[in-house]
Amino acid sequence: MQTPGGHTNAITASRVIGTAVYNTAGDRIGSIEDVMLEKMSNGIMFAVIGFGGFLGIGEKYHAIPWSSLDYDEDKGGYVVPFTKEQLEAAPSYSINDLTKGDGTVARDASYDYYKVDPYW
């Protein structure tokens, strides 16, 4: 099975982490800091995207539904189908808050906010 952009659906986490993320206007909005895994279902809960900050100070972390990311070879990064305004208004967390409630708090808020159909 392929992604909407026609790419393979299998990739190593080490290859994803650090990859740039762009919004619909083509602006670089951050990078993938990590991925949150759901151990019991073997699924990817969400990508952890770091926005803003400088050298890790003041950076906000957003849980973005994994299925919303589509790799763009020309950009060498992922594109999310959201506007700058949507991303700025999205729920954000400290890196530690992303794992509270086994990650389901951030996951549920993310899927609800971005109106992405849940995988669970």
Side-chain angles (χ1 to χ4, degrees):
M1 183 173 177
Q2 295 182 335
T3 66
H7 303 283
T8 178
N9 67 348
I11 190 167
T12 61
S14 61
R15 188 168 168 199
V16 170
I17 295 171
T19 303
V21 178
Y22 299 87
N23 66 11
T24 53
D27 303 318
R28 187 179 191 280
I29 56 170
S31 61
I32 298 179
E33 300 291 327
D34 217 331
V35 291
M36 186 70 69
L37 307 174
E38 190 167 17
K39 295 188 307 184
M40 298 308 288
S41 71
N42 296 319
I44 299 174
M45 295 175 78
F46 52 82
V48 177
I49 311 293
F51 297 127
F54 181 71
L55 299 175
I57 299 170
E59 189 165 38
K60 296 178 185 177
Y61 298 96
H62 295 258
I64 304 288
W66 184 254
S67 62
S68 298
L69 292 132
D70 193 31
Y71 191 77
D72 183 321
E73 288 186 26
D74 293 335
K75 289 186 176 20
Y78 289 94
V79 177
V80 292
F82 310 119
T83 65
K84 181 179 179 181
E85 293 76 22
Q86 283 176 299
L87 294 164
E88 287 175 346
S92 63
Y93 306 88
S94 72
I95 199 74
N96 291 331
D97 285 339
L98 288 169
T99 59
K100 284 188 178 174
D102 285 338
T104 58
V105 172
R107 179 199 68 189
D108 293 354
S110 172
Y111 279 74
D112 183 55
Y113 177 81
Y114 293 111
K115 297 177 180 30
V116 173
D117 290 333
Y119 63 89
W120 64 96

